[in-house]
Structure formats: structure tokens, C-alpha cells
């Protein structure tokens, strides 16, 4: 049985998961961003952050923010693994809507044992990504997934196949689903005016407008201009 010192609460797991994602995106996780992601006030997260540092799960650098220690990262990856496999279970086996599973998986992830997790993974045939395209860590190691870049980085006229959605809030996912912006789909940038905050894209017959923030959380594999979608293999997106 694990000692109390080594036991991490569900609340701490949530913090470590959020810090991991912010660190991957920005290099450090700032208190304001942690609070925003968790839906809490900045003042309310201070004590928990201090406790995580005392337990050697994070380190704090003045004026920069916090980063995970090796132990903190290992715990965060384990939680993310449970979360993304839970999302797969909810969509692939239980038929839950793609845009609704994130919140449900947040509740499931903290109560799954390693034995149950292994059975889930086997039943799901060892998926490489969650339903939103994000790679599932294995063996305590990060999974890099397919190389991709933000849709925001594409210039007008350029196209890419959607690889993943890096933020999984219910409203955002519902919006992307309505537009058809889901992993495997071909998207073309028609207009990108960052000064006015407009990114206009085309997915199939649908045209959509989004702000730069939304365009930055859709990652794509940019297609070479000369390919013209002739290949029937890997470069061909799903319908």
C-alpha cells in the first residue's frame, strides 16, 4: 500500500495535468493560467501550488512560473493517459458524443486502477490517440504523436489535414464539430487577417470564421502544394 506521503489527491492530479499542458505550450505554467484552466480565482490556487512544491512535484522560478519535476511529470502523464483512454471508452464503446466526453473523462480518470486501465486499453485495441487526436502516453513516457503545426501558421491558400485539437472544452469542441473541424478532415485557409482577428477557412463545402486563438488550438499536417491530393495513401484525409 502506498504511504500517505506518496499519495496524491484528485485535486493535486488536476493541477499537475493542467501544469503539464501549460508547460508544453508555454515552457512554464503561470498561476493566472492555472487558475483560468481550473476555473478558480488566482488566490485560491496559491496554497495548492505551494503544497505541490513542498512535495517536490513542481519547481517555481521567480517571474516565470512553475514547471513539473520528474516525479510530477510522471504523475501528470499517468493522469493524462487515464483521461484519454477514458475518452476513447466513452466514444468508441459507449457511443458518447465526441464533443461531450472531456468533462466526463475528467471525473473518471481519478478512480481508474492500473489493472482496469490495462483492460480498457486492450478492449480498445491499444489506441494511439484520444478522439480529439492527442497522443496517449504509454509506459510513463510522453507520446509525441504525428508532427503537426497550428492552423494559425498556415497562410491563405495553404491546406492541411487536421491532426488534433489541443484544448478540449465542451463549447469549443461543439463549435468545431458543427463546422466539421475534426481530426482527419482537410482544411484550407482562405483568409488570415491577424490585425482584425479573422481567420476564414474552408472544410469541404463549409466556410467558417474563427479568431486566432481558436485557430491556434487546431493542429494540422500541412500539405505540400504539389501533392494536389493525388495520393490515395497517407496524404488523403478522411471524409
Amino acid at each position: 500500500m502506498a504511504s500517505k506521503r506518496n499519495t496524491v489527491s484528485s485535486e493535486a492530479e488536476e493541477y499537475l495535468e493542467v501544469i503539464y499542458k501549460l508547460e508544453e505550450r508555454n515552457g512554464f505554467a503561470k498561476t493566472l493560467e492555472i487558475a483560468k484552466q481550473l476555473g478558480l480565482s488566482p488566490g485560491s490556487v496559491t496554497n495548492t501550488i505551494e503544497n505541490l512544491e513542498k512535495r517536490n512535484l513542481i519547481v517555481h522560478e521567480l517571474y516565470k512560473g512553475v514547471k513539473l519535476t520528474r516525479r510530477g511529470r510522471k504523475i501528470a502523464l499517468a493522469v493524462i493517459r487515464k483521461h484519454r483512454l477514458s475518452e476513447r471508452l466513452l466514444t468508441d464503446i459507449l457511443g458518447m458524443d465526441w464533443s461531450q466526453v472531456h468533462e466526463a473523462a475528467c471525473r473518471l480518470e481519478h478512480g481508474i486502477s492500473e489493472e482496469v486501465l490495462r483492460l480498457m486499453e486492450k478492449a480498445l485495441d491499444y489506441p494511439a490517440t484520444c478522439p480529439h487526436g492527442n497522443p496517449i502516453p504509454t509506459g510513463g513516457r510522453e507520446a509525441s504523436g504525428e508532427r503537426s503545426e497550428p492552423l494559425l501558421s498556415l497562410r491563405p491558400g495553404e491546406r492541411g489535414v487536421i491532426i488534433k485539437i489541443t484544448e478540449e472544452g465542451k463549447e469549443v469542441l461543439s463549435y468545431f464539430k458543427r463546422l466539421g473541424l475534426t481530426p482527419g478532415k482537410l482544411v484550407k485557409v482562405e483568409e488570415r487577417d491577424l490585425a482584425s482577428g479573422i481567420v476564414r477557412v474552408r472544410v469541404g463545402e463549409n466556410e467558417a470564421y474563427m479568431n486566432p486563438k481558436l485557430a491556434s488550438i487546431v493542429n494540422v499536417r500541412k500539405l505540400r502544394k504539389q501533392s494536389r491530393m493525388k495520393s490515395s495513401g497517407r496524404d488523403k484525409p478522411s471524409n
Side-chain angles (χ1 to χ4, degrees):
M1 181 179 295
S3 67
K4 185 174 181 180
R5 177 179 173 81
N6 292 324
T7 300
V8 177
S9 67
S10 296
E11 180 189 31
E13 288 183 343
E14 288 284 350
Y15 273 75
L16 295 174
E17 184 178 6
V18 165
I19 291 169
Y20 173 87
K21 292 177 180 178
L22 290 172
E23 185 182 336
E24 288 296 291
R25 187 188 313 157
N26 305 320
F28 285 86
K30 296 183 179 295
T31 301
L32 287 174
E33 284 296 322
I34 295 169
K36 182 179 178 181
Q37 291 292 320
L38 293 170
L40 302 170
S41 65
S44 67
V45 306
T46 302
N47 288 340
T48 303
I49 292 295
E50 290 176 352
N51 184 52
L52 293 175
E53 186 169 24
K54 287 177 183 177
R55 299 187 64 181
N56 194 34
L57 296 172
I58 62 171
V59 291
H60 182 269
E61 292 195 24
L62 195 61
Y63 306 122
K64 289 185 177 181
V66 301
K67 298 186 75 168
L68 297 170
T69 62
R70 179 178 293 183
R71 178 168 174 253
R73 182 173 289 270
K74 182 178 179 180
I75 294 171
L77 285 169
V79 177
I80 290 169
R81 174 172 166 76
K82 291 178 181 180
H83 180 93
R84 292 177 180 170
L85 283 170
S86 294
E87 289 182 327
R88 273 292 174 197
L89 177 73
L90 291 167
T91 54
D92 298 359
I93 305 298
L94 302 183
M96 194 170 182
D97 187 87
W98 176 86
S99 63
Q100 309 291 315
V101 296
H102 177 68
E103 284 77 6
C106 284
R107 293 188 290 271
L108 284 174
E109 64 193 33
H110 305 295
I112 300 174
S113 68
E114 286 300 319
E115 181 182 3
V116 171
L117 192 69
R118 287 193 293 270
L119 292 172
M120 283 173 55
E121 187 178 39
K122 182 178 180 181
L124 292 163
D125 197 22
Y126 306 96
T129 69
C130 78
H132 314 112
N134 295 296
I136 297 173
T138 57
R141 295 188 298 273
E142 296 157 275
S144 59
E146 185 172 354
R147 182 175 296 179
S148 62
E149 60 188 279
L151 177 61
L152 185 62
S153 69
L154 270 62
R155 292 172 293 189
E158 293 186 324
R159 301 173 302 163
V161 176
I162 298 174
I163 299 301
K164 60 185 178 181
I165 311 296
T166 60
E167 290 188 17
E168 302 177 352
K170 180 179 177 181
E171 291 183 2
V172 169
L173 292 176
S174 295
Y175 178 65
F176 285 159
K177 183 182 178 184
R178 290 198 302 272
L179 298 178
L181 287 162
T182 56
K185 293 294 183 68
L186 174 67
V187 58
K188 179 183 179 183
V189 175
E190 300 283 7
E191 177 184 1
R192 188 187 67 171
D193 187 344
L194 301 184
S196 59
I198 293 176
V199 180
R200 179 166 58 91
V201 301
R202 180 172 296 279
V203 186
E205 299 299 318
N206 299 324
E207 191 172 80
Y209 289 83
M210 63 179 70
N211 59 40
K213 176 174 171 51
L214 287 178
S216 71
I217 66 176
V218 178
N219 273 37
V220 303
R221 170 168 48 85
K222 186 166 70 174
L223 297 180
R224 299 186 300 274
K225 288 183 179 180
Q226 64 267 30
S227 69
R228 294 297 180 186
M229 300 306 295
K230 290 181 180 180
S231 171
S232 60
R234 184 166 180 168
D235 281 342
K236 185 175 181 180
S238 65
N239 294 321

